[in-house]
Amino acid sequence: MNDRQPHPHELISAMLDGETDARERAVVDAHLQECPECRDLAGDLTALGEVLADDPVPPVPAGLAERIGWSLRSQTASRRRPGGVRWSGPRTLAALGGVAAAGILAVLVVREGGAPFLDRSPLPPAANPAPAENKAAAERERDEAQEKLKSLGYAATGGAGRDSATRYNRGDGRADGAIVVPPRSPQAGGGGSRMGSVKGDILTYAPSPTGTASSGPLGGASTAQAAPAPPSPYLDTQEEAGRASAKTGTGTGVTAEAGTPAGAPAPRERAKKASDANALSAPADKSEMAKETVAEGFVVMEKEKDAGAGGTGPTAKDAPAADEEDAGKQAVAGASGPRSTGMQGVVAPPQAAPKPSPAPDSHAAREQAAPLLSQKPKVLDKDSLTRLAIPACRDAEGAKPVTRWAAASAPLLLRRALSDAEPDLAALAARLGGSICEERASGVPPLIILDAPAARWGELREALAVRIETPGSLTPPPAEGFNVVRVVLRPR
Amino acid sequence: MAGRGILRSMAATPAAHDPIEGPLLERARGGDREAFEQLVAIHLPRVWRVVWRIVRHHEDCEDVVQEVFLAAWQALPEYRGEARFSTWLHTIAVTRSLNYKDRAAEKVRRASSTLDPHADEGPEAAIAREAERAGARGPSPLQSLEAGELRRRLAQCLEKLPPAWRAVLALRDGEELSYEDISRLLGLALGTVRSRLARARLGLRGCIEGHAS
């Protein structure tokens, strides 16, 4: 090391970069001849520069450009409103995903807990436990369901003589933000119902109408009657219609759950479960067609009461023919209590002789089967977040099977009146080859449901981004499996 | 870090836009988001590379890259084309990366202290120590390292390097920008760029050899 002059580190570094002038190079050269340490340094820096130049950079993550595009759109939308929130960044997306996942989990928990508004996969008959075991198992399930519901903040409410509506409310009775849509044409003795849930702004669940049953004047406390239903607006696919026809063709008037072979008796525990579920349920007031309930961000659309129900007795709706006796007992025993809603995907057997189903032909069979079919859960399959069972805006009669992806339930921007928004949205839907429909229910604001071909999701998303308050909530459909994408729009 | 004066340095450079990029830029400046998204697609790989070399963390890098393009989109109406768009984007990328690292200052401080127990005394003293160490040692361990091991240690040491030093290294050794370009892009004096690069390299060398010893 040369003690008489400092080491020209900067100059050496710059010289290796070719960023020195002639005079500086001369200085460095002279120094390097005398200083072995600096020669080492020059060698090291050269090696370092080569390694740095080859320092591997991971490839741009797949989809990053798309996510940036999303962020840009969200930003554009939020810039148009004061206090808008920007949805960007993988962590934000992860957080949103977490919220959605938590929602799904909550639904699953309730579902697995035997909540009456969700179906369960039926066990094959061979796997059904013995009746005695059934009872114990059903009681265990009931207890578990109660615990789970309690843990979710629900309190069972209900009263004697209530009708078939089922409500789960928080203990404080709060109900906010949920949306309940009644059937378009409620009929006496038979009510389609639909329910769906909104978790945050994402529709996560959309089950189903109940089976038809009537009580009171028509059937008395222990009479359930299979009544014709309007053409099901809830059918998601023609295949389901076909299955429905097959099922109703059994003539039992009783519908097995989805997946249950036509005519096969549903497991006894299912009837019991329905009864148990009723113990947790809280029927709505009779005057209500539909109500909204909310629990911690997820909303359950519930059924309306039977329009023609005049009786106060409960009606068991969830018993296979083989379990008629049980079901009848339950119905009688529950004469002063709530009755099953059938939302469990179970249908009460008629205590009186059920009307034979018409031949499984076409429209009539489908009409009759519609409310039953829609009990099949459309959600929570592994590969898709959700499917909706609420009706198509445009009757898909004869059309190819429709599988819908629920993009979101989103509030319209700036509290825009629905009447103002509707023509605009109708034009948008028409442009995209879709359609809108309006849903009205007493006591809740009307909604606009916009269906569009899933293939035009990008255009739909972009167009909606400037019309709704939460464009970030629009969830793109998977690449395959859905041919219609649906957004439910609501005023604030 | 906020006072880097980076954008200030952009005014003097005449713009020379790519024939494809130019029309897109014009449209984007007029508020055409789709045009801007095409620009994003063009520049994403390079912006990603620059940000990665400074941030060196995958998720952070994604965040910053998104920030960069969002900031660019917001600032686009004010972009008057004095500098090339890519340079302008680089500026935003480096600034955002450094700001991001600033926000994670605690992490950086912890890393720096790991790198150098004398971190409080400033880089000059560190350089002096490196020089002393260089004088006291034998043949360079850095050059004797196997290539894979050298890369591994380099990656570790780069993470410990102050982000501002990392930025100049990224632009010089990664993007092969000239000192003048770096100076303009970062709003630094030419001499500062030179000295910062030298410090960064010496710091890296010391770190790698520290691992080696």
Side-chain angles (χ1 to χ4, degrees), chain A residues 10 13 17 19 24 44 52 55 58 67 71 73 75 90-91, chain B residues 48 56 60 62-63 66 140 143 173 179 194-195 201 205 209:
Chain A
E10 276 187 26
S13 167
D17 287 330
E19 294 276 356
E24 290 170 330
D44 284 355
L52 277 168
D55 184 31
R67 288 196 288 280
S71 299
R73 289 180 204 119
Q75 189 187 56
R91 284 172 181 152
Chain B
W48 170 265
R56 302 192 73 83
D60 291 351
E62 274 199 51
D63 281 343
Q66 288 205 49
S140 165
Q143 294 180 62
D173 291 324
Y179 282 18
R194 175 188 282 190
S195 64
R201 288 166 172 166
R205 181 196 188 213
E209 292 181 349

PDB file of all heavy atoms in Angstrom, chain A residues 10 13 17 19 24 44 52 55 58 67 71 73 75 90-91, chain B residues 48 56 60 62-63 66 140 143 173 179 194-195 201 205 209:
ATOM      1  N   GLU A  10     -12.561   6.017  -6.126  1.00  0.00           N
ATOM      2  CA  GLU A  10     -13.602   6.516  -7.029  1.00  0.00           C
ATOM      3  C   GLU A  10     -13.137   6.500  -8.472  1.00  0.00           C
ATOM      4  O   GLU A  10     -13.871   6.133  -9.377  1.00  0.00           O
ATOM      5  CB  GLU A  10     -13.986   7.951  -6.636  1.00  0.00           C
ATOM      6  CG  GLU A  10     -15.004   8.017  -5.518  1.00  0.00           C
ATOM      7  CD  GLU A  10     -15.464   9.427  -5.303  1.00  0.00           C
ATOM      8  OE1 GLU A  10     -15.424  10.242  -6.249  1.00  0.00           O
ATOM      9  OE2 GLU A  10     -15.861   9.716  -4.163  1.00  0.00           O
ATOM     10  N   SER A  13     -13.052   3.005  -9.820  1.00  0.00           N
ATOM     11  CA  SER A  13     -14.417   2.562 -10.138  1.00  0.00           C
ATOM     12  C   SER A  13     -14.916   3.220 -11.427  1.00  0.00           C
ATOM     13  O   SER A  13     -15.476   2.559 -12.304  1.00  0.00           O
ATOM     14  CB  SER A  13     -15.335   2.929  -8.962  1.00  0.00           C
ATOM     15  OG  SER A  13     -16.677   2.793  -9.320  1.00  0.00           O
ATOM     16  N   ASP A  17     -15.732   1.911 -15.509  1.00  0.00           N
ATOM     17  CA  ASP A  17     -16.970   2.216 -16.228  1.00  0.00           C
ATOM     18  C   ASP A  17     -16.710   3.034 -17.487  1.00  0.00           C
ATOM     19  O   ASP A  17     -17.661   3.383 -18.204  1.00  0.00           O
ATOM     20  CB  ASP A  17     -17.927   3.014 -15.318  1.00  0.00           C
ATOM     21  CG  ASP A  17     -18.549   2.131 -14.238  1.00  0.00           C
ATOM     22  OD1 ASP A  17     -18.722   0.926 -14.498  1.00  0.00           O
ATOM     23  OD2 ASP A  17     -18.873   2.652 -13.153  1.00  0.00           O
ATOM     24  N   GLU A  19     -15.660   6.073 -17.439  1.00  0.00           N
ATOM     25  CA  GLU A  19     -16.199   7.404 -17.150  1.00  0.00           C
ATOM     26  C   GLU A  19     -15.110   8.335 -16.616  1.00  0.00           C
ATOM     27  O   GLU A  19     -15.370   9.191 -15.774  1.00  0.00           O
ATOM     28  CB  GLU A  19     -17.319   7.278 -16.122  1.00  0.00           C
ATOM     29  CG  GLU A  19     -18.537   6.538 -16.622  1.00  0.00           C
ATOM     30  CD  GLU A  19     -19.508   7.430 -17.397  1.00  0.00           C
ATOM     31  OE1 GLU A  19     -19.255   8.655 -17.480  1.00  0.00           O
ATOM     32  OE2 GLU A  19     -20.490   6.889 -17.940  1.00  0.00           O
ATOM     33  N   GLU A  24      -7.427  11.700 -15.696  1.00  0.00           N
ATOM     34  CA  GLU A  24      -7.777  10.815 -14.587  1.00  0.00           C
ATOM     35  C   GLU A  24      -7.252   9.396 -14.842  1.00  0.00           C
ATOM     36  O   GLU A  24      -6.779   8.729 -13.919  1.00  0.00           O
ATOM     37  CB  GLU A  24      -9.295  10.792 -14.398  1.00  0.00           C
ATOM     38  CG  GLU A  24      -9.837  12.103 -13.855  1.00  0.00           C
ATOM     39  CD  GLU A  24     -11.347  12.155 -13.910  1.00  0.00           C
ATOM     40  OE1 GLU A  24     -11.937  11.513 -14.819  1.00  0.00           O
ATOM     41  OE2 GLU A  24     -11.944  12.848 -13.062  1.00  0.00           O
ATOM     42  N   ASP A  44     -11.282  -6.983  -8.422  1.00  0.00           N
ATOM     43  CA  ASP A  44     -12.538  -7.330  -7.739  1.00  0.00           C
ATOM     44  C   ASP A  44     -13.717  -6.575  -8.332  1.00  0.00           C
ATOM     45  O   ASP A  44     -14.799  -7.134  -8.541  1.00  0.00           O
ATOM     46  CB  ASP A  44     -12.420  -6.993  -6.251  1.00  0.00           C
ATOM     47  CG  ASP A  44     -11.572  -8.019  -5.498  1.00  0.00           C
ATOM     48  OD1 ASP A  44     -11.179  -9.027  -6.134  1.00  0.00           O
ATOM     49  OD2 ASP A  44     -11.297  -7.802  -4.307  1.00  0.00           O
ATOM     50  N   LEU A  52     -22.798  -8.406 -11.238  1.00  0.00           N
ATOM     51  CA  LEU A  52     -23.956  -7.525 -11.095  1.00  0.00           C
ATOM     52  C   LEU A  52     -24.760  -7.450 -12.393  1.00  0.00           C
ATOM     53  O   LEU A  52     -25.994  -7.431 -12.380  1.00  0.00           O
ATOM     54  CB  LEU A  52     -23.499  -6.115 -10.696  1.00  0.00           C
ATOM     55  CG  LEU A  52     -23.242  -5.900  -9.218  1.00  0.00           C
ATOM     56  CD1 LEU A  52     -22.523  -4.566  -8.997  1.00  0.00           C
ATOM     57  CD2 LEU A  52     -24.547  -5.920  -8.438  1.00  0.00           C
ATOM     58  N   ASP A  55     -26.810 -10.353 -12.590  1.00  0.00           N
ATOM     59  CA  ASP A  55     -27.685 -10.595 -11.440  1.00  0.00           C
ATOM     60  C   ASP A  55     -29.085 -10.930 -11.947  1.00  0.00           C
ATOM     61  O   ASP A  55     -29.727 -10.121 -12.610  1.00  0.00           O
ATOM     62  CB  ASP A  55     -27.731  -9.334 -10.565  1.00  0.00           C
ATOM     63  CG  ASP A  55     -28.553  -9.552  -9.315  1.00  0.00           C
ATOM     64  OD1 ASP A  55     -28.594 -10.689  -8.824  1.00  0.00           O
ATOM     65  OD2 ASP A  55     -29.154  -8.569  -8.835  1.00  0.00           O
ATOM     66  N   PRO A  58     -36.111 -11.808 -11.517  1.00  0.00           N
ATOM     67  CA  PRO A  58     -37.251 -12.709 -11.779  1.00  0.00           C
ATOM     68  C   PRO A  58     -38.139 -12.151 -12.881  1.00  0.00           C
ATOM     69  O   PRO A  58     -38.207 -10.930 -13.062  1.00  0.00           O
ATOM     70  CB  PRO A  58     -37.997 -12.756 -10.439  1.00  0.00           C
ATOM     71  CG  PRO A  58     -37.473 -11.646  -9.634  1.00  0.00           C
ATOM     72  CD  PRO A  58     -36.134 -11.268 -10.156  1.00  0.00           C
ATOM     73  N   ARG A  67     -53.350  -6.579 -13.733  1.00  0.00           N
ATOM     74  CA  ARG A  67     -53.650  -5.982 -12.430  1.00  0.00           C
ATOM     75  C   ARG A  67     -53.399  -4.476 -12.456  1.00  0.00           C
ATOM     76  O   ARG A  67     -54.132  -3.704 -11.837  1.00  0.00           O
ATOM     77  CB  ARG A  67     -52.812  -6.650 -11.346  1.00  0.00           C
ATOM     78  CG  ARG A  67     -53.272  -8.062 -11.048  1.00  0.00           C
ATOM     79  CD  ARG A  67     -52.688  -8.558  -9.732  1.00  0.00           C
ATOM     80  NE  ARG A  67     -51.265  -8.837  -9.794  1.00  0.00           N
ATOM     81  CZ  ARG A  67     -50.749  -9.952 -10.301  1.00  0.00           C
ATOM     82  NH1 ARG A  67     -51.521 -10.880 -10.793  1.00  0.00           N
ATOM     83  NH2 ARG A  67     -49.440 -10.140 -10.310  1.00  0.00           N
ATOM     84  N   SER A  71     -56.046  -1.586 -11.665  1.00  0.00           N
ATOM     85  CA  SER A  71     -55.789  -0.480 -10.753  1.00  0.00           C
ATOM     86  C   SER A  71     -56.055   0.842 -11.443  1.00  0.00           C
ATOM     87  O   SER A  71     -56.601   1.769 -10.848  1.00  0.00           O
ATOM     88  CB  SER A  71     -54.339  -0.527 -10.272  1.00  0.00           C
ATOM     89  OG  SER A  71     -54.107  -1.725  -9.595  1.00  0.00           O
ATOM     90  N   ARG A  73     -58.116   1.402 -13.832  1.00  0.00           N
ATOM     91  CA  ARG A  73     -59.555   1.619 -13.963  1.00  0.00           C
ATOM     92  C   ARG A  73     -60.160   2.007 -12.619  1.00  0.00           C
ATOM     93  O   ARG A  73     -60.998   2.896 -12.540  1.00  0.00           O
ATOM     94  CB  ARG A  73     -60.229   0.352 -14.486  1.00  0.00           C
ATOM     95  CG  ARG A  73     -59.894   0.108 -15.923  1.00  0.00           C
ATOM     96  CD  ARG A  73     -60.549  -1.148 -16.451  1.00  0.00           C
ATOM     97  NE  ARG A  73     -59.774  -1.620 -17.581  1.00  0.00           N
ATOM     98  CZ  ARG A  73     -59.171  -2.799 -17.656  1.00  0.00           C
ATOM     99  NH1 ARG A  73     -59.268  -3.627 -16.666  1.00  0.00           N
ATOM    100  NH2 ARG A  73     -58.481  -3.129 -18.705  1.00  0.00           N
ATOM    101  N   GLN A  75     -58.677   3.429 -10.240  1.00  0.00           N
ATOM    102  CA  GLN A  75     -58.232   4.779  -9.915  1.00  0.00           C
ATOM    103  C   GLN A  75     -59.030   5.799 -10.703  1.00  0.00           C
ATOM    104  O   GLN A  75     -59.433   6.823 -10.182  1.00  0.00           O
ATOM    105  CB  GLN A  75     -56.746   4.924 -10.237  1.00  0.00           C
ATOM    106  CG  GLN A  75     -56.171   6.221  -9.730  1.00  0.00           C
ATOM    107  CD  GLN A  75     -54.740   6.405 -10.205  1.00  0.00           C
ATOM    108  OE1 GLN A  75     -54.467   6.368 -11.399  1.00  0.00           O
ATOM    109  NE2 GLN A  75     -53.847   6.617  -9.282  1.00  0.00           N
ATOM    110  N   PRO A  90     -50.950  -6.066  -4.833  1.00  0.00           N
ATOM    111  CA  PRO A  90     -51.241  -7.465  -4.556  1.00  0.00           C
ATOM    112  C   PRO A  90     -51.748  -7.698  -3.145  1.00  0.00           C
ATOM    113  O   PRO A  90     -52.541  -8.587  -2.898  1.00  0.00           O
ATOM    114  CB  PRO A  90     -49.894  -8.153  -4.787  1.00  0.00           C
ATOM    115  CG  PRO A  90     -48.880  -7.083  -4.769  1.00  0.00           C
ATOM    116  CD  PRO A  90     -49.566  -5.835  -5.205  1.00  0.00           C
ATOM    117  N   ARG A  91     -51.308  -6.847  -2.235  1.00  0.00           N
ATOM    118  CA  ARG A  91     -51.757  -7.069  -0.865  1.00  0.00           C
ATOM    119  C   ARG A  91     -53.210  -6.664  -0.704  1.00  0.00           C
ATOM    120  O   ARG A  91     -53.959  -7.268   0.046  1.00  0.00           O
ATOM    121  CB  ARG A  91     -50.875  -6.307   0.097  1.00  0.00           C
ATOM    122  CG  ARG A  91     -49.554  -7.027   0.249  1.00  0.00           C
ATOM    123  CD  ARG A  91     -48.574  -6.241   1.036  1.00  0.00           C
ATOM    124  NE  ARG A  91     -47.342  -7.001   1.103  1.00  0.00           N
ATOM    125  CZ  ARG A  91     -46.154  -6.462   1.225  1.00  0.00           C
ATOM    126  NH1 ARG A  91     -46.011  -5.164   1.268  1.00  0.00           N
ATOM    127  NH2 ARG A  91     -45.076  -7.215   1.293  1.00  0.00           N
TER     128      ARG A  91
ATOM    129  N   TRP B  48     -40.010  -3.155 -14.264  1.00  0.00           N
ATOM    130  CA  TRP B  48     -39.927  -4.262 -13.294  1.00  0.00           C
ATOM    131  C   TRP B  48     -38.475  -4.529 -12.927  1.00  0.00           C
ATOM    132  O   TRP B  48     -38.129  -4.722 -11.762  1.00  0.00           O
ATOM    133  CB  TRP B  48     -40.586  -5.501 -13.891  1.00  0.00           C
ATOM    134  CG  TRP B  48     -40.341  -6.757 -13.092  1.00  0.00           C
ATOM    135  CD1 TRP B  48     -39.373  -7.686 -13.296  1.00  0.00           C
ATOM    136  CD2 TRP B  48     -41.070  -7.202 -11.944  1.00  0.00           C
ATOM    137  NE1 TRP B  48     -39.448  -8.677 -12.361  1.00  0.00           N
ATOM    138  CE2 TRP B  48     -40.480  -8.415 -11.513  1.00  0.00           C
ATOM    139  CE3 TRP B  48     -42.167  -6.697 -11.240  1.00  0.00           C
ATOM    140  CZ2 TRP B  48     -40.952  -9.125 -10.414  1.00  0.00           C
ATOM    141  CZ3 TRP B  48     -42.629  -7.406 -10.137  1.00  0.00           C
ATOM    142  CH2 TRP B  48     -42.029  -8.601  -9.735  1.00  0.00           C
ATOM    143  N   ARG B  56     -35.837  -5.640  -4.520  1.00  0.00           N
ATOM    144  CA  ARG B  56     -35.378  -7.009  -4.306  1.00  0.00           C
ATOM    145  C   ARG B  56     -36.296  -7.827  -3.396  1.00  0.00           C
ATOM    146  O   ARG B  56     -35.858  -8.587  -2.542  1.00  0.00           O
ATOM    147  CB  ARG B  56     -33.952  -7.023  -3.744  1.00  0.00           C
ATOM    148  CG  ARG B  56     -32.959  -6.328  -4.628  1.00  0.00           C
ATOM    149  CD  ARG B  56     -31.552  -6.606  -4.222  1.00  0.00           C
ATOM    150  NE  ARG B  56     -31.155  -7.953  -4.574  1.00  0.00           N
ATOM    151  CZ  ARG B  56     -30.720  -8.317  -5.776  1.00  0.00           C
ATOM    152  NH1 ARG B  56     -30.637  -7.435  -6.761  1.00  0.00           N
ATOM    153  NH2 ARG B  56     -30.388  -9.570  -6.010  1.00  0.00           N
ATOM    154  N   ASP B  60     -43.123  -6.733  -2.737  1.00  0.00           N
ATOM    155  CA  ASP B  60     -42.860  -5.298  -2.682  1.00  0.00           C
ATOM    156  C   ASP B  60     -42.675  -4.749  -4.085  1.00  0.00           C
ATOM    157  O   ASP B  60     -43.134  -3.656  -4.422  1.00  0.00           O
ATOM    158  CB  ASP B  60     -41.599  -5.016  -1.859  1.00  0.00           C
ATOM    159  CG  ASP B  60     -41.815  -5.311  -0.380  1.00  0.00           C
ATOM    160  OD1 ASP B  60     -42.967  -5.569   0.007  1.00  0.00           O
ATOM    161  OD2 ASP B  60     -40.832  -5.296   0.379  1.00  0.00           O
ATOM    162  N   GLU B  62     -43.899  -5.869  -6.847  1.00  0.00           N
ATOM    163  CA  GLU B  62     -45.199  -5.733  -7.530  1.00  0.00           C
ATOM    164  C   GLU B  62     -45.910  -4.472  -7.081  1.00  0.00           C
ATOM    165  O   GLU B  62     -46.474  -3.733  -7.886  1.00  0.00           O
ATOM    166  CB  GLU B  62     -46.076  -6.946  -7.219  1.00  0.00           C
ATOM    167  CG  GLU B  62     -45.851  -8.112  -8.134  1.00  0.00           C
ATOM    168  CD  GLU B  62     -47.020  -9.092  -8.104  1.00  0.00           C
ATOM    169  OE1 GLU B  62     -48.163  -8.651  -8.270  1.00  0.00           O
ATOM    170  OE2 GLU B  62     -46.768 -10.294  -7.915  1.00  0.00           O
ATOM    171  N   ASP B  63     -45.902  -4.262  -5.780  1.00  0.00           N
ATOM    172  CA  ASP B  63     -46.561  -3.057  -5.261  1.00  0.00           C
ATOM    173  C   ASP B  63     -45.972  -1.803  -5.882  1.00  0.00           C
ATOM    174  O   ASP B  63     -46.687  -0.902  -6.312  1.00  0.00           O
ATOM    175  CB  ASP B  63     -46.405  -2.992  -3.733  1.00  0.00           C
ATOM    176  CG  ASP B  63     -47.393  -3.903  -3.019  1.00  0.00           C
ATOM    177  OD1 ASP B  63     -48.376  -4.311  -3.664  1.00  0.00           O
ATOM    178  OD2 ASP B  63     -47.181  -4.192  -1.840  1.00  0.00           O
ATOM    179  N   GLN B  66     -46.751  -1.301  -9.576  1.00  0.00           N
ATOM    180  CA  GLN B  66     -48.104  -0.775  -9.753  1.00  0.00           C
ATOM    181  C   GLN B  66     -48.155   0.698  -9.393  1.00  0.00           C
ATOM    182  O   GLN B  66     -48.775   1.499 -10.086  1.00  0.00           O
ATOM    183  CB  GLN B  66     -49.088  -1.549  -8.883  1.00  0.00           C
ATOM    184  CG  GLN B  66     -49.338  -2.955  -9.387  1.00  0.00           C
ATOM    185  CD  GLN B  66     -50.698  -3.484  -8.931  1.00  0.00           C
ATOM    186  OE1 GLN B  66     -51.695  -2.818  -9.081  1.00  0.00           O
ATOM    187  NE2 GLN B  66     -50.710  -4.675  -8.386  1.00  0.00           N
ATOM    188  N   SER B 140      -7.229 -11.596  -3.222  1.00  0.00           N
ATOM    189  CA  SER B 140      -8.652 -11.291  -3.110  1.00  0.00           C
ATOM    190  C   SER B 140      -9.503 -12.544  -2.981  1.00  0.00           C
ATOM    191  O   SER B 140      -9.510 -13.403  -3.865  1.00  0.00           O
ATOM    192  CB  SER B 140      -9.098 -10.536  -4.359  1.00  0.00           C
ATOM    193  OG  SER B 140     -10.494 -10.538  -4.417  1.00  0.00           O
ATOM    194  N   GLN B 143     -12.375 -12.870  -5.814  1.00  0.00           N
ATOM    195  CA  GLN B 143     -12.111 -13.457  -7.126  1.00  0.00           C
ATOM    196  C   GLN B 143     -11.901 -14.970  -7.061  1.00  0.00           C
ATOM    197  O   GLN B 143     -11.931 -15.641  -8.082  1.00  0.00           O
ATOM    198  CB  GLN B 143     -10.895 -12.792  -7.759  1.00  0.00           C
ATOM    199  CG  GLN B 143     -11.143 -11.325  -8.076  1.00  0.00           C
ATOM    200  CD  GLN B 143      -9.934 -10.668  -8.714  1.00  0.00           C
ATOM    201  OE1 GLN B 143      -9.498 -11.056  -9.792  1.00  0.00           O
ATOM    202  NE2 GLN B 143      -9.376  -9.684  -8.022  1.00  0.00           N
ATOM    203  N   ASP B 173     -24.964  -0.844 -13.550  1.00  0.00           N
ATOM    204  CA  ASP B 173     -24.593  -2.217 -13.892  1.00  0.00           C
ATOM    205  C   ASP B 173     -25.755  -3.021 -14.449  1.00  0.00           C
ATOM    206  O   ASP B 173     -25.542  -3.967 -15.198  1.00  0.00           O
ATOM    207  CB  ASP B 173     -24.013  -2.923 -12.658  1.00  0.00           C
ATOM    208  CG  ASP B 173     -22.661  -2.340 -12.275  1.00  0.00           C
ATOM    209  OD1 ASP B 173     -21.908  -1.969 -13.187  1.00  0.00           O
ATOM    210  OD2 ASP B 173     -22.376  -2.248 -11.073  1.00  0.00           O
ATOM    211  N   TYR B 179     -23.070   7.661 -16.609  1.00  0.00           N
ATOM    212  CA  TYR B 179     -23.109   8.477 -15.388  1.00  0.00           C
ATOM    213  C   TYR B 179     -23.985   9.710 -15.617  1.00  0.00           C
ATOM    214  O   TYR B 179     -24.701  10.164 -14.730  1.00  0.00           O
ATOM    215  CB  TYR B 179     -21.696   8.914 -15.000  1.00  0.00           C
ATOM    216  CG  TYR B 179     -20.863   7.841 -14.305  1.00  0.00           C
ATOM    217  CD1 TYR B 179     -21.206   6.502 -14.388  1.00  0.00           C
ATOM    218  CD2 TYR B 179     -19.738   8.192 -13.571  1.00  0.00           C
ATOM    219  CE1 TYR B 179     -20.430   5.531 -13.759  1.00  0.00           C
ATOM    220  CE2 TYR B 179     -18.954   7.235 -12.935  1.00  0.00           C
ATOM    221  CZ  TYR B 179     -19.307   5.895 -13.033  1.00  0.00           C
ATOM    222  OH  TYR B 179     -18.543   4.937 -12.410  1.00  0.00           O
ATOM    223  N   ARG B 194     -20.705   9.322  -9.219  1.00  0.00           N
ATOM    224  CA  ARG B 194     -19.428   8.595  -9.234  1.00  0.00           C
ATOM    225  C   ARG B 194     -19.061   8.102  -7.835  1.00  0.00           C
ATOM    226  O   ARG B 194     -18.703   6.940  -7.647  1.00  0.00           O
ATOM    227  CB  ARG B 194     -18.347   9.517  -9.786  1.00  0.00           C
ATOM    228  CG  ARG B 194     -16.973   8.919  -9.732  1.00  0.00           C
ATOM    229  CD  ARG B 194     -15.916   9.925 -10.093  1.00  0.00           C
ATOM    230  NE  ARG B 194     -15.823  10.147 -11.532  1.00  0.00           N
ATOM    231  CZ  ARG B 194     -14.850  10.831 -12.119  1.00  0.00           C
ATOM    232  NH1 ARG B 194     -13.891  11.358 -11.401  1.00  0.00           N
ATOM    233  NH2 ARG B 194     -14.829  10.984 -13.423  1.00  0.00           N
ATOM    234  N   SER B 195     -19.142   8.994  -6.881  1.00  0.00           N
ATOM    235  CA  SER B 195     -18.734   8.589  -5.540  1.00  0.00           C
ATOM    236  C   SER B 195     -19.703   7.562  -4.955  1.00  0.00           C
ATOM    237  O   SER B 195     -19.293   6.623  -4.261  1.00  0.00           O
ATOM    238  CB  SER B 195     -18.627   9.801  -4.619  1.00  0.00           C
ATOM    239  OG  SER B 195     -19.898  10.394  -4.463  1.00  0.00           O
ATOM    240  N   ARG B 201     -19.894  -0.123  -4.542  1.00  0.00           N
ATOM    241  CA  ARG B 201     -19.080  -1.272  -4.959  1.00  0.00           C
ATOM    242  C   ARG B 201     -18.123  -1.709  -3.855  1.00  0.00           C
ATOM    243  O   ARG B 201     -17.937  -2.913  -3.623  1.00  0.00           O
ATOM    244  CB  ARG B 201     -18.309  -0.906  -6.227  1.00  0.00           C
ATOM    245  CG  ARG B 201     -19.235  -0.835  -7.434  1.00  0.00           C
ATOM    246  CD  ARG B 201     -18.587  -0.157  -8.610  1.00  0.00           C
ATOM    247  NE  ARG B 201     -19.409  -0.264  -9.816  1.00  0.00           N
ATOM    248  CZ  ARG B 201     -19.206   0.460 -10.901  1.00  0.00           C
ATOM    249  NH1 ARG B 201     -18.230   1.354 -10.949  1.00  0.00           N
ATOM    250  NH2 ARG B 201     -19.973   0.303 -11.955  1.00  0.00           N
ATOM    251  N   ARG B 205     -18.178  -5.231  -2.004  1.00  0.00           N
ATOM    252  CA  ARG B 205     -16.960  -6.056  -1.967  1.00  0.00           C
ATOM    253  C   ARG B 205     -16.636  -6.453  -0.533  1.00  0.00           C
ATOM    254  O   ARG B 205     -16.330  -7.616  -0.229  1.00  0.00           O
ATOM    255  CB  ARG B 205     -15.816  -5.257  -2.574  1.00  0.00           C
ATOM    256  CG  ARG B 205     -14.497  -5.992  -2.621  1.00  0.00           C
ATOM    257  CD  ARG B 205     -13.402  -4.982  -2.863  1.00  0.00           C
ATOM    258  NE  ARG B 205     -12.113  -5.567  -3.118  1.00  0.00           N
ATOM    259  CZ  ARG B 205     -10.969  -4.995  -2.740  1.00  0.00           C
ATOM    260  NH1 ARG B 205     -10.989  -3.835  -2.092  1.00  0.00           N
ATOM    261  NH2 ARG B 205      -9.821  -5.563  -3.016  1.00  0.00           N
ATOM    262  N   GLU B 209     -16.672 -10.262   0.895  1.00  0.00           N
ATOM    263  CA  GLU B 209     -15.460 -10.828   1.481  1.00  0.00           C
ATOM    264  C   GLU B 209     -15.635 -11.093   2.964  1.00  0.00           C
ATOM    265  O   GLU B 209     -15.032 -12.008   3.513  1.00  0.00           O
ATOM    266  CB  GLU B 209     -14.278  -9.893   1.216  1.00  0.00           C
ATOM    267  CG  GLU B 209     -13.922  -9.867  -0.271  1.00  0.00           C
ATOM    268  CD  GLU B 209     -12.746  -8.984  -0.564  1.00  0.00           C
ATOM    269  OE1 GLU B 209     -12.340  -8.226   0.340  1.00  0.00           O
ATOM    270  OE2 GLU B 209     -12.228  -9.049  -1.690  1.00  0.00           O
TER     271      GLU B 209
END
